Each structure stands twice: as C-alpha cells, then as structure tokens.
Amino acid sequence: MPGPRRRGTIRSGVEGGGQVSANLQLTEDGRLRHLLTLEGLPARILTQILDTAESFVSVGEREIKKVPLLRGKAVFNLFFENSTRTRTTFEIAAKRLSADVINLNIATSATNKGETLLDTVANLSAMQADMFVVRHASSGAPHLIARHVAPHISVVNAGDGRCAHPTQGLLDMYTIRHYKGGFHNLRVAIVGDVLHSRVARSQIHALSILGCPEIRVVAPKTLLPRDVESMGVHVHHKMETGVKDCDVIIMLRLQNERMQGALLPSAGEYYKFWGLTEDKLKLARPDAIVMHPGPMNRGVEIDSGVADGKHSVILPQVTFGIAVRMAVMSMVTGSNA
Amino acid sequence: MPGPRRRGTIRSGVEGGGQVSANLQLTEDGRLRHLLTLEGLPARILTQILDTAESFVSVGEREIKKVPLLRGKAVFNLFFENSTRTRTTFEIAAKRLSADVINLNIATSATNKGETLLDTVANLSAMQADMFVVRHASSGAPHLIARHVAPHISVVNAGDGRCAHPTQGLLDMYTIRHYKGGFHNLRVAIVGDVLHSRVARSQIHALSILGCPEIRVVAPKTLLPRDVESMGVHVHHKMETGVKDCDVIIMLRLQNERMQGALLPSAGEYYKFWGLTEDKLKLARPDAIVMHPGPMNRGVEIDSGVADGKHSVILPQVTFGIAVRMAVMSMVTGSNA
Amino acid sequence: MPGPRRRGTIRSGVEGGGQVSANLQLTEDGRLRHLLTLEGLPARILTQILDTAESFVSVGEREIKKVPLLRGKAVFNLFFENSTRTRTTFEIAAKRLSADVINLNIATSATNKGETLLDTVANLSAMQADMFVVRHASSGAPHLIARHVAPHISVVNAGDGRCAHPTQGLLDMYTIRHYKGGFHNLRVAIVGDVLHSRVARSQIHALSILGCPEIRVVAPKTLLPRDVESMGVHVHHKMETGVKDCDVIIMLRLQNERMQGALLPSAGEYYKFWGLTEDKLKLARPDAIVMHPGPMNRGVEIDSGVADGKHSVILPQVTFGIAVRMAVMSMVTGSNA
C-alpha cells in the first residue's frame, strides 16, 4: 500500500521539464500544490507568493512573531544533502506558522540501511506528514517524491542538484520588487558560476516569467552551460560590459571545489576578472542593488567593501527569505486563506 | 544525591526477566509506569494500550493533529544507538501530545567524556525530565535506567540490544487486531532472522499474552535462538509449511551484516528459500495480511510486488505506530484519563 | 548592510576585559542586555538574576512547566564547540519560557564553507533571531558577536575558551545561596584544574562580587594560572589545608587530555593527592556542601561515596541551572517584568 500514484507517466527522477512540472505543481483549479521549480509556473502564482510574503514580513517585526496558520501540521525537513543554513530558514518559517517541525538528516540515516528513496518517503508519509521540504544532490528528486506522495502531502524543493532552488529564486524576486518596484524596466546581471548554479536557473526562470526585459549572464565560457542562450539571456564574457547600466547585480557564490579543478586558474585571478569591486560597480546604474545568495567568499567573487556597502541588499534578502518560505508553506497547504 | 532507588535488588543491567520487569513496569495499583518489555505484562494492560491508541488514530486524521495531554512535559529521546526512523516516530507522537521534545544523540556526546550511564541519566533527571525514551545497543539498559530514576519519571524502551522493542510489538498487535478483529482464532507466522530480532521477541510475547493459539517461527536453524520452542512457538524450517493457512505473515528485516558473516550464503539464496513471493503467499489464507517492521530489503526478504500488493499492511503499521506511541506516552505519565 | 555596529572600538575577539565588557553587557539605564562574563558586573545584577531564578524554580515543579514570557521569540543555540549537556540545559530553559529554539551545530556546517564568523552571525541575525546562545572554543567569540549584532538581539555566553562560563558560575552561586543563605561568612574552596577552567574563572568573579570573604584555590602549581593571586584568592598546594574548615568545596572536572600530557603523572596519583575522599571531606565544616559542574570522573577528582553522599549538592546544581538560565534569558530580552 504505497502512496497513491498521481495520473500521468512516472518517469525517471532525473529531469525537471516545464510543462509536466507545472501540472504536477498546480491543483486542477490552479492553486499551488507543490513547489518544485519556478520553470513553467504562471506569473499569477509567482505574484501571489510575493504578495503573500509581503503580509508575512510584518509578522517578523511583531513582538510575538507567530501566526497559527499551520498549527498541528507536521513539516518534515528531509535533507539528503547537508545544509544548515537553508534548513534553518525553513525551520524558522515553519515554526512562525506554528507547525511542528521534524528535522531529518537522511544523509546519515535510513538510506544507509539500503532502503529506497520512495520507501523512505512512503514511510514518512504514513507518519501523517503534511509537508516535505526536500534537499537532494540529485536533480529531480523532489519531483520524484511529489509524484508518489498521498494527496494531502505537499513537497517543497529546497534545492536539487543543479536543477532548481525555487524559494531562493523567489526571495530574490521579492528583494528586487521591494527595491525596484517591479520588473518591467530592469536590466539584471547574474555574474559568476552559472553552470553549476541551481540558484541562477531559478532566478532566470523567475525573471523571465515576471517580465524582466533584459537578463544578462556574465561569466567565463567554462562556467556557462552550453544552451544558456536558449533560456532567453544575453551572454557577456566581460564584467565591464556585463554590469554596465544594470539596475540589479546578482553575484553567485564560487564553490571552492571549482578552484581545485581545472575550471579556474586561482581565486586571485578570478577576483581580478570576475569579482565585484567598487570600480566595476560604478559602471552600473547609480541606484543599482547588489545581491548574493550566500555564503559569500569575500575577496573572491565580491569585494568586502561592496558586500557591506550601501548598494548591498544581501542581508535583507535573508530576512525576506523567511517571509517567502512562510508564504510558500501556507499556500501549498491551502492555509493562506 | 542520585535518583532514589526503588525497592528490590539492583542487579546487573543485562537481563529483562518477566516477573521482576512486570513489577518494575507497574505501579502498586496496577497502572503502567514504565514500558520496558511486553514479557510478563498482563493482557489487560496490552488491551488498554490498544484501546487508547484507537482513540488517538482519529487525532491523526484531524485538521489539527494535536491534543494537550502532555503540555509542559519534557520528553527526552535518549538514543545511545542511532535510529532516525524510530526517533522520528516518538518525536511526532510526543509533539502531537503537545510535549516538549529534547533529542539527545548520546552516541556522540556525554559518554565520550567518561561519564557513566547512570550519571548521565541522573543529570538529565535533574533537568526535570518527565520521560526518557531510550534506545541502547545493550540489552537491559532501559531496565537499569528505570530502576534509578526519580518517582515522577517514566522510561519507555525504544529498542534494547536483542532484548525487546515493545512499542513495535504493540503496533503490530494493533495492526492485527485492526484487520482481524482479535487474536483468538489466528495462525501467525514470523519469518526470518528471529535470532537477532528484538522485534520478534516482543511480537511473540504479545501474541502469547493476547491469546493467539498458533504462533509459528519460520527460519533456517542458524537464524533461530536455541531455546525458541520454550517461548511457546511452533518451529518451521520451510516456508511452504511455515506460511500454509496463516492469517498473518510477519516478515523480519534481514540485517545486511548477517550476509557478510558466515550465517548465510547470499542475498539471492536467502530470497529463493525465505523471501516472501506471490507464489508462497498463495499458500496462506486468501485474506492473509503481510507485515514488516521496516526498513525493507526488497528482493531479499520480500518480493516487491508483495510489499506493494493488496495483502500488505506495511504502511498502515507505521501510521498505527504513532497512535500506539501516543497511547503509551500518555499512559505512563498518567495523562490518559 | 551588516548589523549596525555599537559605539566603541572594535577590537580583536580574544579578550574579555572587565570594564569594557560590563558596558557592553548593560543597557544605558543599567539593565542586562548580554551575558558574556561575570567579571565587572555589579552585584545588584547578579542578585537580580538569582532572585529571578528563584521564581522560576517553582515553575519546574508545576504540573505544566511552562510560562509564556518568550513566546514567539527565536533562540538560536550556536554551538561552535559540541556540548550536548550544556545545549540541552539552554534548550529546556528556552522551551519552558515558550521560545522557539533553533539548534545549530556550526562546527559541522557554515564555517566549512569558508564564511567568516561575523558573516554567519549577520545572516542568522537577518533571520530575525532574538537571542544567540554561543559556545565557542576561542575566548572572546561571544564578545565579538555581541559587538556586531543588531540592537534587538541578545548574546548569552555558554562557554568560551578558557575565558568564562557565566551561567555555570551563576548556578553555582544560586546553589551556595540556597544552602548557605548568603556569601558574607563563607569559606569556599575551588579544587583542581583551575588553569584550564572557564568555570573556575566565573566562580571566582562571582564570589568576589557577591562579597565572599575567603576564596581558596587548591591545586598543584602546574594547574594554576600564574596570576591567580591577582584575582583575590588564597592559594593552597595541599588538600589538607585547602579544604580545612570550608563551608563549600567545589571540585573541578579533570579533563582526560591533561593526563595524557606532561602536566600530571596519572589518574591514580591525582586521586591520591587531589581527589575528594570521605577523609579529606571530614576536614571541612560538618555542614559543608560539595559541588561539581559535571560530568564527573568518579575515582579521579572525586570519590564515588562523596559524590553520592549527604554533603553532595551536585544534582540540585543541575536543577537550579535550568532556573538560572531561564532568569538570564528572560532578563536579557526584557521579558522578566
């Protein structure tokens, strides 16, 4: 008696394809049921998430930072890949909604015993979970889980392989809308290791859906996916042209392991060509904002003065991230009415 | 000033003997005080646990899955042996009862510092714990702790060595009663590695106490304890006779490490002789149910089709397990009135 | 946009100096804002903490052990150094105050990714934390954090390097006041490895501030700091004179690693000269109390009979520790009114 299977083909776990995912993510009457990827979601859903998050930002500023929307619901943080920071943001968001939170670091447990991913999830479902927040090193794992859970359970992707990190993409959109008022006249540059970045993928999808007219990716060829232009972005191989006249500059984290491989010469070389310094920032618009998903490598992809400077909105991103996750969690459980 | 000692001899930690344990487990007026083993408990207590669990099953189906029975009480999950799954079921059960839950993975902490088990427990008791849920690799550890805790603290065994796993035994009884209505006309087969299984021990004790007339153990000689027949079971060394005309088939997990030792030839050989396939299942009664404590080794002790088939009640076992643990926790704290 | 910097010089993290810390710890109108060290705090603040704790001791004895003082507040346990026991006491204290608790074992996470301590803390601050409980192997780390957090966030030191462990010092003062009624006529001996002990440092500061007329440290020269007499203590190099006529004997834990180094001959030798036995205890006052911060090494620094004997108040220390931590947490958040 495994969880009921949803209609539609059950395919391999390793894909994320737009149309199918959009169907999987929405109920028949068009409400958000799972959040797996931003790709293929309608603009009205993204806007609804941002609007709902806006109402939660004020909750965080209250004396008592709790609302009872998820009281008695059980949120399972299923982290097949360790990430204290992301897990913490979801834990806080769930607790502010008054949910019970169960943290499962699966990297070190059940799968050790030879159980399959779907058996692990079926078991946790049978414990009457209401939501799975899933982080997994394999692209598509949250989709696979979403296809097999019981109808009352929602799945939220907290980062899967190189595929997607939709709540990060959404909090970035919230931040941009907060500081820039909207997306329709913006020039946005995403700078750095786009190739390995699920964050960049989610940002590009979200910006496209929300109508941003000019999305640039700025990186050396070795750090760009081959098909990147098919995503509707402009490719720049120089910082100087890449950030010129931009309203928003999003710096990506450079994974240390890239440096040890053959992809890059050294941290110093990277900083020289691709690090965001005060000088390069001057090429952008005078009111440009600088974003970073964290954790930062100061002196590698970003100058310390820029990170702490007046253009930086890196810490507000974190604050908005809690509200955005509260919004997603309340919407997928139908508790936001 | 260690915890007060209960009357009776303090013996070595490594035993679990019936009469003594029953005394230790019950208050003077016959209520459940600790749950250490099912051996020696009166049938009325087991039935009371199952009845109480029945009232909690409906709690899990409510919109708000919480009752305030343990509000303000502190439940400490003391896991000296790692088990994410079992810990999670107790954590959920305690949170549904509104308790505060403290998870302690002791394998990696206090005992490292050379402190004795009883000093660790005395310290945690002094933090005004109300309940210890104890998992330990040594048989008898929960009994030892129960003998030394203060009068207001209850101990629940979450699995000790090869000795007992009483809440697993109870949830299995709940499942059988749910699907079969009772125990008095049943033929039950327990199949597999009985030798190393605390789960099997608890099941055999519970079935005997509740009046099951025919309990079979079905296994190769190398996976049976020598004295197994003294527990009142019928021994079968062939699956074909072992599961014939049974109402209930309980498959045990085969620990991977058995395969690497000298006890068994190979996973393939094991499956051929002892795995539950569709064909072997046909020998049981047409309305037989198939159970497994999890995590399953598909294709080793159980065929995947059987695990997911119409006879399988493996996932309902998990759901009932939450309600059974809520029942035990509320009874030992005297909160079930 | 990092957290706002407080006025005053930002110095290196490795110091704890009295006057500066007192300023950092108190608000402009003299209330407790952070608890970093007891050194330099006014006696009225220590007394207020002990008085507030007294009101919380009764909470632990109630049927429902919770008060709503910190409801909706988020307490982050930032443990850069692993300590299950200390973390647990803070977790229980926070939950009894109805706070939401987030446990972060930072030793294994964010700093792995090359992020600086201050960036980690700035990020967690941006998640709208209300309190950081900080344990760190480096002396001064909690001070460094306190200097950089936003105005609404409080920092409580849960042990930093060899510097301070103020809540331990406070619970020891609570215990002494509870059994002895005050400090003004007391002779207190602190015995053992004072050199490596942040606990001893906090005890000495607290006893001085609260007016204890005779504080003795009793240890071999190799286990005493060179400047120890400048702290206003009397040095004894023999147990016999050290504990003579004392009202309070505080035994310190001997870290196992000291034994492996060149500092000490062997556990047996240590016990012979510095272990608290029944015989040596007889030299103290007949109503002397024996204390130990735990975890104990029975048969090394303390005889088992003494640890469990009628003079021992080691387990009450633990119970009082919860109330003292509740007092500190409610005071630094201004929730104790």
Side-chain angles (χ1 to χ4, degrees):
Chain A
M1 283 186 207
R5 288 183 169 76
R6 293 178 57 84
R7 68 191 155 71
T9 334
I10 294 170
R11 297 178 302 171
S12 127
V14 192
E15 51 69 69
Q19 210 48 39
V20 168
S21 292
N23 286 347
L24 184 62
Q25 295 189 98
L26 300 181
T27 60
E28 295 200 354
D29 57 340
R31 290 183 302 103
L32 190 67
R33 166 157 154 56
H34 303 295
L35 180 67
L36 308 173
T37 177
L38 300 180
E39 192 183 358
L41 279 184
R44 101 186 131 74
I45 290 281
L46 266 63
T47 301
Q48 191 192 357
I49 295 171
L50 303 188
D51 291 348
T52 307
E54 205 161 311
S55 73
F56 287 128
V57 166
S58 66
V59 171
E61 291 158 2
R62 284 190 215 162
E63 186 65 16
I64 293 186
K65 293 192 278 279
K66 283 181 98 104
V67 288
L69 290 175
L70 261 65
R71 211 173 87 73
K73 296 214 186 294
V75 173
F76 284 58
N77 282 329
L78 303 190
F79 277 59
F80 296 89
E81 187 182 68
N82 196 28
S83 173
T84 303
R85 177 190 298 237
T86 302
R87 195 261 296 156
T88 300
T89 59
F90 278 101
E91 186 175 350
I92 294 171
K95 285 181 170 169
R96 291 222 175 124
L97 293 166
S98 306
D100 287 327
V101 181
I102 311 281
N103 288 320
L104 294 169
N105 200 335
I106 311 261
T108 60
S109 67
T111 42
N112 279 358
K113 295 192 173 174
E115 195 181 45
T116 67
L117 174 62
L118 288 180
D119 273 341
T120 299
V121 169
N123 261 279
L124 296 173
S125 299
M127 294 177 199
Q128 289 159 315
D130 294 282
M131 194 189 308
F132 293 129
V133 176
V134 179
R135 172 87 152 214
H136 204 292
S138 298
S139 301
H143 300 69
L144 182 68
I145 293 170
R147 270 189 216 98
H148 289 82
V149 291
H152 70 282
I153 299 180
S154 298
V155 178
V156 176
N157 183 356
D160 65 321
R162 296 187 191 176
C163 187
H165 196 344
T167 57
Q168 177 71 44
L170 286 165
L171 76 87
D172 294 329
M173 295 310 109
Y174 189 99
T175 307
I176 293 171
R177 196 177 80 164
H178 179 85
Y179 288 100
K180 295 295 165 192
F183 302 90
H184 290 289
N185 298 308
L186 295 186
R187 211 173 267 130
V188 178
I190 301 170
V191 183
D193 183 4
V194 176
L195 177 62
H196 303 94
S197 176
R198 51 195 174 204
V199 172
R201 259 169 203 66
S202 286
Q203 289 164 340
I204 293 169
H205 289 306
L207 287 166
S208 301
I209 294 165
L210 291 169
C212 175
E214 186 172 345
I215 310 167
R216 301 176 182 175
V217 294
V218 187
K221 275 180 196 167
T222 48
L223 294 181
L224 283 177
R226 285 194 192 179
D227 61 340
V228 68
E229 273 158 325
S230 71
M231 297 180 80
V233 300
H234 301 261
V235 175
H236 289 257
H237 292 307
K238 278 200 174 165
M239 273 294 266
E240 287 66 23
T241 63
V243 302
K244 185 157 168 47
D245 297 326
C246 276
D247 302 279
V248 177
I249 304 176
I250 303 176
M251 300 308 298
L252 298 175
R253 172 176 170 77
L254 188 72
Q255 314 279 338
N256 294 329
E257 53 269 35
R258 308 300 165 218
M259 223 80 76
Q260 289 148 10
L263 287 175
L264 292 172
S266 75
E269 282 282 288
Y270 187 85
Y271 181 68
K272 186 174 157 196
F273 289 109
W274 306 101
L276 186 63
T277 56
E278 302 273 10
D279 278 353
K280 289 178 199 149
L281 179 53
K282 280 185 191 140
L283 301 170
R285 290 190 38 133
D287 61 350
I289 57 171
V290 173
M291 297 167 62
H292 191 296
M296 283 187 283
N297 295 302
R298 289 167 181 266
V300 180
E301 71 261 7
I302 191 165
D303 174 74
S304 217
V306 172
D308 299 336
K310 66 182 174 149
H311 295 270
S312 168
V313 296
I314 293 171
L315 290 173
Q317 284 179 272
V318 177
T319 305
F320 296 146
I322 306 292
V324 163
R325 285 169 182 123
M326 289 172 76
V328 169
M329 287 174 150
S330 64
M331 284 172 63
V332 294
T333 53
S335 311
N336 60 317
Chain B
M1 283 186 205
R5 286 184 170 79
R6 292 177 58 83
R7 66 191 157 72
T9 334
I10 294 169
R11 297 178 301 170
S12 127
V14 190
E15 52 66 75
Q19 210 48 39
V20 168
S21 292
N23 287 347
L24 185 62
Q25 295 189 96
L26 300 181
T27 60
E28 296 199 355
D29 58 338
R31 290 184 303 103
L32 191 68
R33 165 156 156 58
H34 302 296
L35 181 67
L36 308 172
T37 176
L38 301 181
E39 193 183 357
L41 279 184
R44 99 184 135 74
I45 290 281
L46 267 63
T47 301
Q48 192 192 356
I49 296 170
L50 303 188
D51 291 349
T52 306
E54 206 162 311
S55 73
F56 286 128
V57 165
S58 65
V59 171
E61 291 159 359
R62 284 190 215 161
E63 185 65 28
I64 293 186
K65 292 191 279 282
K66 284 182 99 105
V67 288
L69 291 175
L70 261 65
R71 209 172 89 74
K73 295 212 186 297
V75 173
F76 283 59
N77 283 328
L78 303 190
F79 276 59
F80 296 89
E81 186 181 69
N82 196 28
S83 173
T84 303
R85 179 189 299 236
T86 302
R87 194 260 298 155
T88 300
T89 60
F90 278 100
E91 185 175 350
I92 294 171
K95 285 182 170 169
R96 290 223 176 123
L97 292 166
S98 306
D100 287 326
V101 181
I102 310 282
N103 289 319
L104 294 170
N105 201 335
I106 312 262
T108 59
S109 67
T111 42
N112 278 359
K113 295 192 174 174
E115 194 181 45
T116 68
L117 174 61
L118 288 180
D119 273 341
T120 299
V121 169
N123 261 279
L124 297 172
S125 299
M127 294 175 199
Q128 290 160 313
D130 295 283
M131 194 189 309
F132 293 130
V133 175
V134 180
R135 172 87 153 214
H136 204 290
S138 299
S139 301
H143 300 70
L144 182 68
I145 293 169
R147 270 189 217 97
H148 290 81
V149 291
H152 71 280
I153 299 181
S154 298
V155 177
V156 176
N157 184 355
D160 65 321
R162 295 186 191 177
C163 185
H165 195 343
T167 57
Q168 177 71 43
L170 286 165
L171 76 87
D172 293 331
M173 296 309 108
Y174 189 99
T175 308
I176 293 172
R177 193 176 84 162
H178 179 85
Y179 287 101
K180 295 297 166 190
F183 302 90
H184 290 290
N185 298 306
L186 296 186
R187 212 172 267 131
V188 178
I190 301 171
V191 183
D193 183 3
V194 176
L195 178 61
H196 302 93
S197 176
R198 52 194 172 204
V199 171
R201 258 168 205 66
S202 286
Q203 289 164 340
I204 293 168
H205 288 307
L207 287 165
S208 301
I209 294 166
L210 291 168
C212 175
E214 187 173 344
I215 310 167
R216 301 176 181 175
V217 295
V218 188
K221 276 179 196 167
T222 47
L223 294 181
L224 284 177
R226 284 191 193 181
D227 62 339
V228 69
E229 273 157 326
S230 71
M231 297 181 80
V233 301
H234 302 262
V235 174
H236 290 256
H237 291 309
K238 277 200 174 166
M239 273 294 266
E240 287 67 22
T241 64
V243 302
K244 187 157 168 46
D245 298 326
C246 276
D247 301 280
V248 177
I249 304 175
I250 302 177
M251 301 307 298
L252 298 175
R253 171 176 171 78
L254 188 71
Q255 313 279 339
N256 295 330
E257 51 270 34
R258 308 299 166 219
M259 224 82 75
Q260 289 148 12
L263 288 174
L264 291 172
S266 74
E269 283 281 289
Y270 186 86
Y271 180 68
K272 187 173 156 196
F273 288 109
W274 305 102
L276 186 63
T277 55
E278 302 272 10
D279 278 353
K280 289 177 200 150
L281 179 53
K282 280 187 189 136
L283 300 170
R285 289 191 37 135
D287 61 349
I289 56 171
V290 173
M291 296 166 63
H292 192 295
M296 284 187 281
N297 295 302
R298 290 168 180 264
V300 181
E301 72 262 7
I302 192 165
D303 174 74
S304 216
V306 172
D308 299 336
K310 66 183 172 145
H311 296 270
S312 167
V313 297
I314 293 169
L315 291 173
Q317 284 179 272
V318 177
T319 304
F320 296 145
I322 305 293
V324 163
R325 284 169 181 125
M326 289 171 77
V328 169
M329 288 173 150
S330 64
M331 284 172 63
V332 295
T333 52
S335 311
N336 59 318
Chain C
M1 282 184 209
R5 286 183 171 79
R6 292 177 57 81
R7 64 192 157 76
T9 332
I10 294 170
R11 297 177 302 170
S12 128
V14 191
E15 52 68 73
Q19 211 47 40
V20 168
S21 291
N23 286 347
L24 186 61
Q25 294 188 98
L26 300 181
T27 59
E28 296 200 353
D29 57 340
R31 290 183 303 103
L32 191 67
R33 166 156 155 58
H34 302 295
L35 181 67
L36 307 173
T37 178
L38 301 181
E39 192 183 358
L41 279 183
R44 101 186 133 73
I45 289 281
L46 267 62
T47 301
Q48 190 191 359
I49 295 171
L50 302 188
D51 292 347
T52 307
E54 206 161 311
S55 73
F56 287 128
V57 166
S58 65
V59 171
E61 291 158 1
R62 283 190 215 161
E63 186 64 29
I64 293 185
K65 292 193 278 281
K66 284 182 98 105
V67 288
L69 291 175
L70 261 65
R71 211 172 89 74
K73 296 215 186 295
V75 173
F76 284 58
N77 281 329
L78 303 191
F79 276 60
F80 295 89
E81 185 181 67
N82 197 27
S83 173
T84 303
R85 178 189 298 237
T86 302
R87 194 259 297 155
T88 300
T89 59
F90 278 102
E91 185 175 350
I92 293 170
K95 285 182 170 169
R96 291 223 175 121
L97 293 166
S98 306
D100 288 326
V101 181
I102 311 282
N103 288 319
L104 293 170
N105 200 335
I106 312 261
T108 60
S109 66
T111 43
N112 279 359
K113 294 190 174 175
E115 195 181 44
T116 67
L117 173 62
L118 288 180
D119 273 342
T120 299
V121 169
N123 262 278
L124 297 172
S125 299
M127 294 176 199
Q128 288 158 317
D130 294 283
M131 194 189 309
F132 293 129
V133 176
V134 179
R135 172 86 153 216
H136 204 291
S138 298
S139 301
H143 300 70
L144 182 68
I145 293 170
R147 268 188 218 98
H148 288 82
V149 292
H152 71 282
I153 299 181
S154 298
V155 177
V156 176
N157 183 356
D160 65 322
R162 296 186 191 177
C163 185
H165 195 344
T167 58
Q168 176 71 43
L170 286 165
L171 74 89
D172 294 330
M173 295 311 108
Y174 189 99
T175 307
I176 293 171
R177 194 177 81 163
H178 178 85
Y179 287 100
K180 295 295 165 194
F183 302 90
H184 290 288
N185 298 307
L186 295 186
R187 212 172 266 130
V188 178
I190 301 170
V191 183
D193 183 4
V194 176
L195 178 61
H196 303 94
S197 176
R198 52 194 173 205
V199 171
R201 257 169 204 68
S202 286
Q203 290 163 339
I204 293 168
H205 288 307
L207 286 165
S208 303
I209 294 166
L210 291 168
C212 175
E214 186 173 344
I215 310 166
R216 300 177 182 176
V217 296
V218 188
K221 276 181 195 166
T222 48
L223 294 181
L224 283 177
R226 285 192 193 180
D227 61 339
V228 69
E229 273 157 326
S230 71
M231 297 180 80
V233 300
H234 301 261
V235 175
H236 290 256
H237 292 308
K238 277 199 174 168
M239 273 295 266
E240 287 67 23
T241 62
V243 303
K244 188 157 166 46
D245 298 325
C246 276
D247 302 279
V248 177
I249 304 176
I250 303 176
M251 301 306 299
L252 298 175
R253 173 178 169 77
L254 188 71
Q255 314 278 341
N256 295 328
E257 53 269 34
R258 307 301 165 219
M259 224 80 76
Q260 290 149 12
L263 288 175
L264 291 172
S266 74
E269 283 281 291
Y270 187 84
Y271 181 68
K272 188 174 155 194
F273 290 108
W274 305 101
L276 186 63
T277 57
E278 302 274 10
D279 278 353
K280 288 178 201 149
L281 179 53
K282 279 184 191 139
L283 302 170
R285 290 191 37 135
D287 61 348
I289 56 171
V290 174
M291 297 167 62
H292 192 295
M296 284 186 282
N297 296 303
R298 289 168 180 265
V300 180
E301 71 260 7
I302 192 165
D303 174 73
S304 216
V306 172
D308 299 337
K310 66 180 173 151
H311 296 270
S312 168
V313 297
I314 294 170
L315 291 173
Q317 283 179 272
V318 177
T319 305
F320 296 145
I322 306 292
V324 164
R325 285 169 181 124
M326 289 171 75
V328 169
M329 286 173 150
S330 64
M331 284 172 62
V332 294
T333 53
S335 311
N336 61 318

